[in-house]
Amino acid sequence: MKILVLNAGSSSQKSCLYEISEPRPPDRPPTPLWEATVDWTHHQGIAEIEVKTAKGETLNLEIPTQDRAEAIARMLDTLWEGKTKAIDNPSEVDVVGHRVVHGGQDYRHSVRITADVKAAIDRLTQLAPVHNRANLEGIEAIDRIFGPNLPQIAVFDTAFHSSLPDAAAIYPGPYRWVERGIRRYGFHGISHQYCARRAAQLLNRDLQDLRLIVCHLGNGCSLSAVSGGESIDTTMGFTPLDGLMMGTRSGAVDPGILIHLMRQEGYSVDRLDRELNQESGLKGISGVAADLRQIATAIETGNAQAQLALDIFIHRLRSSIGAMLASLGGLDALVFTAGIGENSALVRALACQNFDFIGLKLEPEKNQDRPVDRDIAAPDSKVRILVIHTQEDWAIAQQCWRTNHQVQ
Ligand code: AMP
């Protein structure tokens, strides 16, 4: 079965083609036959397309367009044409899986995309304007290129958190908020779920018996508390702005600050949106960059604001780990994933430092040794500490297979 995955971000579009030839998906991700990315971030109005194949062919293209559908069409041409060709024609694709950021309250599992599902994703653009719109454009582009009979599956980033108990999901505002769907949805669910399953494999334990905290620390950051394979608490909320400090997002701040800025300083909604989403977090405090690598370099040259940014990031990470710990009532493994979680030994060490009291003990050499899908806890640690390379695209392909075979 050939599964094409589309993973749309705000300014990029990733895609890959997997082949699952076994009776069920293998536990470890196979190398995609073909992978491509469209990126709009570097030059205004130019889509940069990068392609590589399992056979080692690569291709770089620059196309003057802002139009997502056109860029997707050009990207997909490289799947069946030219030196990066991985299939002879589009009809070889059996199913297309899309990461859809917001599934609201209705979508607890992946679903085959129908006119109703499209309408629901469209309605939910109110809650995730940039992402859901990009997802919908991707779905429509596939409809045009492959025709309406090719099955398309929506895999929702919110679905894994649909198991949150009401006490964790509902904000203590007026009850009418609840009636209007204003609640904690949580995000990065595809990654959290993948890491929870992978943690059980690495520990050789049944997921049903495990209490896990998954720290997804990338440009966006969120934690989840996973008990018996279900998400029971998470730090992102109604939008991906809640919770931890992030690359450019503030994370949770006193909502009274927003009232103050609007009332005393005449802030518009757009300005608040821009400052909270794009000018805050590591970038906002350090004044250097959103990227932790650049902040670490600035710290080495004595930059005090860069040090402050890291200190706040760690403070908030530790206090949110503490909150997840309290929701779980115990812990079998702390999992680090995504750009920062997988690559920053410093962040992992600092995050773990204050949890000696629960018997959580890092092995410094293992932590420094560029671990991938490894346990980095000391042998006598009471809690395992795992670094897992998140594989969202593979998780989407697995979900497509399961949805197509009607197993969840
Ligand atoms: P992601 O959103 O998962 O792609 O993560 C991107 C972020 O990971 C970057 O903005 C960096 O802050 C961080 N990152 C990536 N590589 C490293 C590294 N080697 N050391 C520290 N942080 C890193």
Side-chain angles (χ1 to χ4, degrees):
M1 177 180 215
K2 291 198 174 68
I3 303 174
L4 181 66
V5 173
L6 262 77
N7 185 343
S10 47
S11 54
S12 70
Q13 170 75 61
K14 288 196 284 173
S15 184
C16 56
L17 183 76
Y18 284 105
E19 177 156 35
I20 299 180
S21 46
E22 296 159 51
R24 54 186 288 276
D27 287 339
R28 299 301 308 125
T31 306
L33 300 179
W34 167 96
E35 290 171 82
T37 308
V38 185
D39 197 318
W40 282 271
T41 46
H42 298 122
H43 308 287
Q44 181 83 19
I46 304 277
E48 292 172 61
I49 302 182
E50 249 182 66
V51 189
K52 67 176 182 188
T53 69
K55 291 185 180 148
E57 293 291 351
T58 58
L59 179 70
N60 291 289
L61 297 171
E62 286 195 357
I63 297 165
T65 182
Q66 297 256 36
D67 181 41
R68 187 174 285 267
E70 187 187 344
I72 292 174
R74 291 293 299 275
M75 173 180 81
L76 289 176
D77 283 344
T78 71
L79 178 55
W80 47 77
E81 282 175 15
K83 63 174 183 169
T84 58
K85 164 179 161 152
I87 55 177
D88 287 327
N89 60 67
S91 66
E92 285 182 46
V93 174
D94 296 294
V95 56
V96 180
H98 297 265
R99 167 175 172 245
V100 178
V101 166
H102 217 306
Q105 289 191 76
D106 296 337
Y107 294 103
R108 296 177 157 251
H109 299 289
S110 308
V111 287
R112 173 127 182 214
I113 297 172
T114 59
D116 284 349
V117 174
K118 273 193 242 176
I121 296 171
D122 192 22
R123 267 199 313 280
L124 289 162
T125 51
Q126 279 181 12
L127 303 186
V130 179
H131 286 94
N132 269 35
R133 193 161 299 125
N135 301 146
L136 210 50
E137 283 169 8
I139 293 166
E140 279 160 1
I142 295 292
D143 264 343
R144 273 194 300 277
I145 296 165
F146 291 86
N149 294 330
L150 178 66
Q152 297 197 63
I153 310 281
V155 183
F156 297 99
D157 234 358
T158 45
F160 182 54
H161 302 297
S162 64
S163 49
L164 288 184
D166 282 351
I170 293 176
Y171 290 103
Y175 194 76
R176 58 179 178 277
W177 285 11
V178 184
E179 291 160 345
R180 284 192 219 146
I182 297 178
R183 54 179 284 137
R184 185 184 297 285
Y185 289 101
F187 297 88
H188 294 142
I190 299 167
S191 172
H192 285 291
Q193 185 173 35
Y194 172 81
C195 288
R197 288 179 172 165
R198 182 76 183 125
Q201 277 175 4
L202 293 172
L203 297 171
N204 205 12
R205 298 267 308 269
D206 189 339
L207 183 55
Q208 291 307 314
D209 302 332
L210 290 174
R211 288 171 299 185
L212 306 168
I213 296 175
V214 180
C215 307
H216 179 109
L217 308 175
N219 196 27
C221 299
S222 69
L223 304 185
S224 65
V226 182
S227 179
E230 292 197 334
S231 171
I232 60 156
D233 205 353
T234 190
T235 54
M236 280 183 170
F238 178 62
T239 70
L241 186 53
D242 203 357
L244 297 172
M245 178 180 185
M246 307 179 216
T248 62
R249 281 172 260 172
S250 60
V253 293
D254 175 359
I257 297 171
L258 316 187
I259 299 169
H260 167 82
L261 291 171
M262 291 173 92
R263 209 175 258 154
Q264 306 300 328
E265 300 196 23
Y267 267 50
S268 66
V269 173
D270 286 346
R271 183 164 177 202
L272 273 181
D273 184 344
R274 193 180 65 244
E275 290 197 1
L276 291 167
N277 277 298
Q278 293 162 30
E279 297 172 5
S280 296
L282 291 170
K283 180 181 174 193
I285 295 293
S286 71
V288 173
D291 193 311
L292 194 69
R293 286 165 289 199
Q294 284 166 263
I295 290 175
T297 309
I299 291 173
E300 280 166 24
T301 65
N303 185 318
Q305 264 177 254
Q307 182 66 58
L308 177 63
L310 178 66
D311 292 347
I312 301 172
F313 185 86
I314 297 297
H315 173 82
R316 291 186 157 229
L317 176 56
R318 285 176 183 158
S319 43
S320 296
I321 291 174
M324 297 295 119
L325 195 55
S327 290
L328 287 168
L331 187 62
D332 296 296
L334 180 66
V335 179
F336 289 97
T337 193
I340 296 173
E342 292 173 32
N343 294 299
S344 176
L346 176 67
V347 165
R348 292 192 297 260
L350 292 172
C352 291
Q353 215 173 57
N354 282 24
F355 292 95
D356 284 0
F357 73 97
I358 59 160
L360 184 138
K361 220 196 261 175
L362 199 67
E363 176 92 44
E365 294 74 32
K366 289 183 187 161
N367 183 39
Q368 290 292 343
D369 192 25
R370 299 179 174 277
V372 181
D373 289 11
R374 272 189 65 196
D375 184 354
I376 57 167
D380 61 342
S381 177
K382 293 206 177 80
V383 176
R384 306 327 300 163
I385 307 169
L386 303 175
V387 179
I388 295 181
H389 173 44
T390 193
Q391 301 261 10
E392 283 179 315
D393 292 341
W394 172 239
I396 294 168
Q398 286 175 311
Q399 286 291 340
C400 285
W401 188 91
R402 289 195 184 100
T403 308
N404 230 35
H405 291 75
Q406 300 192 326
V407 283
Q408 282 300 330

